[in-house]
Amino acid sequence: MTVALDAPVRASRSWRRRWPIGAIVAPVVGVGAVLAIWVIGGRAGWGSGIVVTPAEAIQPIVGSSRDVYMRATSATVWSAFRGLLIGSALAFVAALIAATVPALRRAISRLAAIANAAPWVAVAPCLLVLLGRDRGPVAVAAIAVFFFVFVSTSIGLGSAPVAAHDVLTALGSSRRVRVLSVQLPACWPSVIDGLKLGAPAAMAGAIFGEWYGATRGLGVLLLTAMQTGRAERLWAASLLSAACGLIAFGVLAAIRAALVPRYGAVITQSQATAEVAKGGSRLRTALAELVTVVVIVVLLVAAWWIWVETADISPIVVPRPSRVWHDIAGSLSEYARATGSTLATAGIAFLLGTFVGIAAAVAASRVRFFAGAVVPVIVVLAATPIIALFPLFARVIGYEPSTVRILAATMVFFPVFVYTRSGLTAASRSSTDVITALGASTNKRFSLLTLPAAVPHIVSGCRIAAGSSVIAAVVGETLIGSVGLGVRFSFEYHQLHMPPAFGAAIVIVIVSVAVFAAAGSIERAVHARWS
Amino acid sequence: MNTYNRRAFIGQSARLMGGAVILGPLVAACGSDDKKTASTSAATTATTAGGTATTTAATTASTTAATTASSVASLGKVRTQFNWVADVEWAAWYLADSNGLFTKYGADVELISGGPNTPAVAQVLASGAADFGVASDELQLIQANKEGTDYVILGAMYQRSPFGYCWLADTPISTAKDLVGKKIGGVQGDQVRIDAVFKVNDLEPDYTFVPMNYDPQPLVDGEADVITAYVTNQPIQLELKGVETKSAPFSDFGLKSYGDVLFASKKYIDENRDLLVAYLAGLIAGVKANQADPTAVIPLLTDKYGKDAEIDAAYSTAGNPAYIALYDSDFTKANGLLSVDPAYFDSDVLPGYAAAGESDLPTAATLVDATLMADAQKL
């Protein structure tokens, strides 16, 4: 999905002061180049006519079917908005509870990670069956938002000036008072950060939910356009989705800019480093982690079982846990093979996306004009609900296994690019001054100081990207793949074979939580070494 | 929700204004069904009048007028779940709903569109979100019943399933043998039917599956030699774009099945038999209205039922006759539209699924109940 983008904005601001003309020319060149490629592609009819010119693409929106598109946009935005409100409210409360009740902190964080890792493809059909078609898109949007707001709120709550914290503690105030008087006021900019990332995610979630059955919405238009092969309609609906994501992103970025002077900027410190800083034996941490996970899993399965039994849920809607367990235990090798190929797809995508992301960020930091030209384009792309636009990309790139890898790589690219870019500005000014005064060349300074200082940031970007790569691989597989967990899920689901379908969904969750956790421990290790 | 409310409102106002009186002639005018419509209302009127026959002539007259205006009292609402987005495929429902044919027999309806990624119709019914379902063919119900549901087939919109293969006109394909070794595109899960076509023809399934998402482009681009398709849909869409194709339903390759199978759970049928008979009677009238004037449904589709799905009027106009051609069979000529033949299930349909590798297949005796449709034909 999308990731923190304040870093490039901040960086570009600093060079804008020094080079005002470039600040205008570069983005114009960048956006202009994209438009030019688009026009050429449209004229030439790339992808057997699926690429249309920008003028053709906006024709449905401004032409006779304007009303249809406006109704669809407002329906999707309304679902996304409600999802954003519900998801962020829940996330905020969860983060607040985690901050006030330390006993629950670990459990709530793990639950949030599971919610983040839950594949929409697997969850959406169940939600729609259970909540009804109208609430389905809202629910998917809420899930999509939850993790972003939870993480950012947690970071925000931990960002209060340590001095203020210490003063209150010394004065004997309770944890609750500390949270309310110091931590809560300081967390707002960070919460807005989460919302800023959550808003495009909510759009993507709402569109995704609409695929699974809605009467109205951009998701519906995307689908009908794809089926009828009407390229200009596909583009029109995609453009509207992107525009809405971008507007939401922009509005929240503006709110954040207004809040920062009032509440002070966030000292970004990941939870991971905070925990490491607290100390404690590694073995004990690992044990506590294991116990937490086991308890959560047991509780979830118990809740599932009780619910299926008491609410008399049909076995073709949600199967009993025991049947799913039998299926997994009975066909371990098939699950292993599917898991292997999903991990391979995600792994290739991860390597590709990371490589391109780091390379682009380094290029952007070395060549200012490149940064100016490319960053606006990347901001636009990052605010676009890419997962929801999979059909468009599949049509342009082709129905090939490589398409799944390329799209998953794109999802990896954004966080890596953004974090690398912010990392490249992380070297302390005094160190830079010292090494410059000692007469180091720009290249020398880069390899000795800038790049090493960026490593912890790059690793953070990779942790977020690792989770995305699995989800993106699964979504791609469901749509156009031929092997993997996503394929297993959709194949069995279409046959109404619920135990294997749910089995695949559960394995997807386990795999993405595991990948996320593994990436998290690598991140912790790197951070511990580097700080 | 809005769509439904508006529709309910229109329906209500039509009834209040004497919808049956206004719409009646309209249907009659475009229906081959003139006499039957007229005589059915007359019979309804007579029965009602008979019930109040002891009162004065004036009262009888006013009762009769009221009955004609408001149709018969509603027996309840049938929430109908389609397996696809708003499409000309559901023409009979749209016409019956718009022309008051359901309410005429005492059934209210709510029409719920599906889509390529929506949960299966069998699942929607199982969750309690709909009462009456339209499944693309029998297989989904057979599979659901194996998992523990109690679905019963009441009839079928199309006597032959439009589901089949589509290929470019210059690819030589005429029998199942020609499919051997081909790249066959379809949606995840279609493999079951593709395999079945090979197996009913005593061939080993030998093909490369190309996963697609209901977009016929891979056929045009050569990524697939053959795609699974509704012969009433993708071939026509492609033709409108200037791509010459050929297509044939799976039944032409030996895999027989009905299309858009009408079903409900046994429990629901037992509790709502009269309502369902009335509903099916309205649906039969809708089919007749569509046969009589295949263009009448197009504005309903573009401006009302499918106004948020950007319906392509050109495709709908071209596709409707293709669907209409599937309404009739020798069996329906003898037994009435929408009827299914239990004997044909046992002799042709179920053996096809057995060949596809489905085990523990039911028999028509448990899977099909043709009596409601037979009663509906008499209304």
Side-chain angles (χ1 to χ4, degrees):
Chain A
M1 270 140 279
T2 48
V3 285
L5 281 156
D6 43 336
V9 173
R10 223 185 294 134
S12 55
R13 229 180 260 142
S14 68
W15 65 259
R16 201 167 291 167
R17 252 179 269 124
R18 275 171 271 148
W19 197 23
I21 302 161
I24 301 160
V25 173
V28 169
V29 168
V31 175
V34 170
L35 281 175
I37 293 170
W38 188 0
V39 170
I40 293 167
R43 292 255 169 84
W46 284 349
S48 44
I50 194 71
V51 180
V52 300
T53 61
E56 288 169 308
I58 59 164
Q59 188 51 39
I61 308 172
V62 295
S64 58
S65 43
R66 190 170 167 266
D67 289 349
V68 176
Y69 283 87
M70 291 306 112
R71 272 201 307 273
T73 308
S74 57
T76 305
V77 168
W78 178 230
S79 294
F81 180 70
R82 281 183 293 166
L84 187 66
L85 281 188
I86 295 169
S88 47
L90 289 174
F92 186 77
V93 171
L96 214 52
I97 294 174
T100 14
V101 190
L104 291 177
R105 182 176 303 157
R106 198 184 292 275
I108 291 177
S109 313
R110 288 299 154 266
L111 257 181
I114 290 174
N116 181 54
W120 298 347
V121 256
V123 174
C126 299
L127 285 178
L128 272 137
V129 166
L130 299 170
L131 299 176
R133 302 184 300 157
D134 297 317
R135 277 169 287 178
V138 179
V140 181
I143 293 176
V145 168
F146 185 88
F147 188 70
F148 289 112
V149 178
F150 177 80
V151 169
S152 63
T153 308
S154 305
I155 292 173
L157 289 171
S159 71
V162 180
H165 207 276
D166 290 347
V167 168
L168 281 180
T169 315
L171 290 172
S173 71
S174 69
R175 182 181 288 274
R176 199 174 59 87
V177 169
R178 273 202 317 265
V179 167
L180 289 179
S181 58
V182 177
Q183 288 174 269
L184 208 50
C187 81
W188 291 118
S190 181
V191 172
I192 302 289
D193 263 341
L195 288 174
K196 198 171 71 180
L197 309 174
M203 276 300 288
I207 290 172
F208 208 79
E210 284 165 358
W211 282 9
Y212 289 87
T215 38
R216 178 181 294 174
L218 290 171
V220 177
L221 289 181
L222 277 172
L223 271 184
T224 46
M226 183 174 57
Q227 280 142 25
T228 50
R230 299 290 294 262
E232 74 287 359
R233 295 178 177 180
L234 197 56
W235 282 93
S238 306
L239 283 180
L240 282 173
S241 320
C244 293
L246 201 58
I247 289 168
F249 184 86
V251 167
L252 287 159
I255 294 175
R256 188 187 186 279
L259 277 178
V260 168
R262 200 176 155 160
Y263 290 102
V266 179
I267 308 153
T268 313
Q269 180 189 30
S270 82
Q271 280 181 302
T273 46
E275 271 166 35
V276 168
K278 251 188 271 160
S281 103
R282 196 166 287 178
L283 185 68
R284 238 178 48 208
T285 317
L287 262 177
E289 196 76 10
L290 195 68
V291 170
T292 314
V293 169
V294 168
V295 168
I296 289 176
V297 168
V298 167
L299 285 177
L300 284 177
V301 171
W304 168 11
W305 208 319
I306 291 167
W307 173 65
V308 166
E309 295 294 339
T310 54
D312 196 23
I313 302 295
S314 166
I316 63 165
V317 177
V318 179
R320 284 202 184 98
S322 54
R323 295 192 55 200
V324 177
W325 172 251
H326 282 302
D327 188 78
I328 296 179
S331 36
L332 270 179
S333 64
E334 282 172 57
Y335 278 99
R337 212 173 318 129
T339 306
S341 78
T342 298
L343 279 176
T345 306
I348 293 170
F350 180 78
L351 291 178
L352 190 64
T354 306
F355 177 75
V356 178
I358 293 175
V362 168
S365 86
R366 301 299 303 272
V367 187
R368 283 188 182 139
F369 193 81
F370 178 78
V374 164
V375 168
V377 175
I378 290 176
V379 171
V380 172
L381 271 176
T384 306
I386 288 189
I387 278 212
L389 302 183
F390 235 113
L392 177 65
F393 289 100
R395 269 298 290 273
V396 175
I397 311 175
Y399 282 77
E400 308 279 347
S402 59
T403 305
V404 178
R405 283 178 220 132
I406 292 172
L407 290 177
T410 316
M411 304 280 302
V412 170
F413 170 82
F414 293 118
V416 173
F417 176 83
V418 168
Y419 277 78
T420 308
R421 218 173 124 64
S422 79
L424 290 173
T425 61
S428 79
R429 185 151 290 275
S430 47
S431 320
T432 318
D433 288 346
V434 168
I435 204 164
T436 313
L438 289 173
S441 68
T442 313
N443 284 337
K444 201 85 186 163
R445 199 171 67 210
F446 188 82
S447 60
L448 281 180
L449 190 63
T450 314
L451 204 53
V455 168
H457 295 257
I458 296 175
V459 175
S460 291
C462 288
R463 175 180 63 115
I464 292 172
S468 310
S469 70
V470 175
I471 303 278
V474 168
V475 172
E477 283 170 357
T478 350
L479 289 174
I480 55 170
S482 47
V483 280
L485 289 168
V487 173
R488 190 172 164 83
F489 169 79
S490 59
F491 179 83
E492 300 294 353
Y493 191 84
H494 280 124
Q495 307 297 314
L496 298 183
H497 295 156
M498 288 300 137
F502 270 70
I506 288 168
V507 174
I508 293 169
V509 174
I510 294 172
V511 167
S512 54
V513 170
V515 167
F516 197 72
S521 57
I522 293 173
E523 185 197 25
R524 270 195 298 276
V526 170
H527 282 194
R529 177 165 287 248
W530 240 261
S531 52
Chain B
M1 218 51 207
N2 279 340
T3 330
Y4 166 65
N5 286 340
R6 195 174 304 114
R7 198 181 304 150
F9 174 68
I10 294 168
Q12 255 166 13
S13 16
R15 253 172 285 144
L16 287 173
M17 298 183 316
V21 175
I22 299 165
L23 294 168
L26 234 173
V27 179
C30 61
S32 63
D33 184 27
D34 244 13
K35 274 176 207 154
K36 195 170 180 205
T37 311
S39 67
T40 315
S41 351
T44 317
T45 313
T47 321
T48 321
T52 53
T54 48
T55 53
T56 65
T59 324
T60 314
S62 72
T63 315
T64 314
T67 312
T68 320
S70 66
S71 310
V72 297
S74 171
L75 296 163
K77 184 158 80 177
V78 181
R79 294 170 299 163
T80 306
Q81 175 71 50
F82 298 133
N83 60 41
W84 195 248
V85 293
D87 190 274
V88 72
E89 193 173 347
W90 322 120
W93 277 272
Y94 297 150
L95 285 164
D97 185 38
S98 281
N99 296 346
L101 302 175
F102 285 121
T103 48
K104 188 179 123 185
Y105 293 99
D108 286 324
V109 292
E110 179 184 342
L111 304 178
I112 309 168
S113 295
N117 301 301
T118 49
V121 179
Q123 289 173 303
V124 178
L125 263 69
S127 75
D131 309 309
F132 183 91
V134 184
S136 56
D137 60 26
E138 306 84 0
L139 185 57
Q140 185 188 112
L141 307 178
I142 294 170
Q143 286 165 335
N145 283 355
K146 268 194 226 168
E147 298 284 328
T149 57
D150 61 344
Y151 292 130
V152 175
I153 293 172
L154 302 175
M157 184 48 66
Y158 303 111
Q159 291 295 308
R160 291 167 298 286
S161 171
F163 197 25
Y165 285 130
C166 174
W167 58 93
L168 294 179
D170 52 16
T171 310
I173 288 174
S174 52
T175 65
K177 249 186 217 151
D178 302 324
L179 296 167
V180 173
K182 291 278 190 295
K183 288 177 284 180
I184 303 182
V187 180
Q188 282 302 340
D190 283 353
Q191 295 95 320
V192 176
R193 284 179 186 77
I194 298 172
D195 289 353
V197 167
F198 282 106
K199 287 178 192 162
V200 290
N201 288 285
D202 297 322
L203 294 164
E204 268 305 301
D206 173 15
Y207 63 99
T208 310
F209 185 72
V210 181
M212 300 177 9
N213 203 23
Y214 298 100
D215 168 9
Q217 193 63 28
L219 179 68
V220 182
D221 295 344
E223 282 158 326
D225 303 317
V226 183
I227 58 170
T228 61
Y230 265 40
V231 296
T232 45
N233 189 325
Q234 288 92 333
I236 295 171
Q237 309 260 26
L238 287 170
E239 194 189 320
L240 291 173
K241 288 174 71 186
V243 180
E244 287 288 317
T245 63
K246 286 183 181 164
S247 59
F250 287 137
S251 56
D252 286 10
F253 291 95
L255 192 67
K256 310 283 185 194
S257 68
Y258 286 100
D260 286 346
V261 172
L262 313 173
F263 73 98
S265 72
K266 186 165 187 326
K267 183 164 179 283
Y268 183 79
I269 295 170
D270 290 344
E271 288 167 5
N272 299 278
R273 193 185 163 88
D274 290 347
L275 170 60
L276 278 175
V277 170
Y279 172 90
L280 292 172
L283 190 56
I284 294 167
V287 171
K288 288 176 180 169
N290 194 34
Q291 283 176 319
D293 180 3
T295 59
V297 74
I298 309 301
L300 287 179
L301 190 56
T302 52
D303 303 339
K304 188 176 171 185
Y305 297 100
K307 75 182 170 75
D308 284 307
E310 256 207 308
I311 297 296
D312 189 338
Y315 157 68
S316 303
T317 312
N320 200 21
Y323 277 113
I324 290 173
L326 302 172
Y327 283 145
D328 289 307
S329 70
D330 290 341
F331 188 80
T332 60
K333 280 179 194 134
N335 297 277
L337 289 160
L338 305 187
S339 303
V340 292
D341 180 3
Y344 180 71
F345 267 92
D346 284 330
S347 65
D348 289 76
V349 176
L350 294 169
Y353 290 122
E358 285 293 318
S359 51
D360 307 322
L361 283 166
T363 59
T366 56
L367 187 64
V368 182
D369 182 350
T371 62
L372 281 85
M373 194 64 80
D375 289 351
Q377 307 285 353
K378 292 177 205 146
L379 279 187

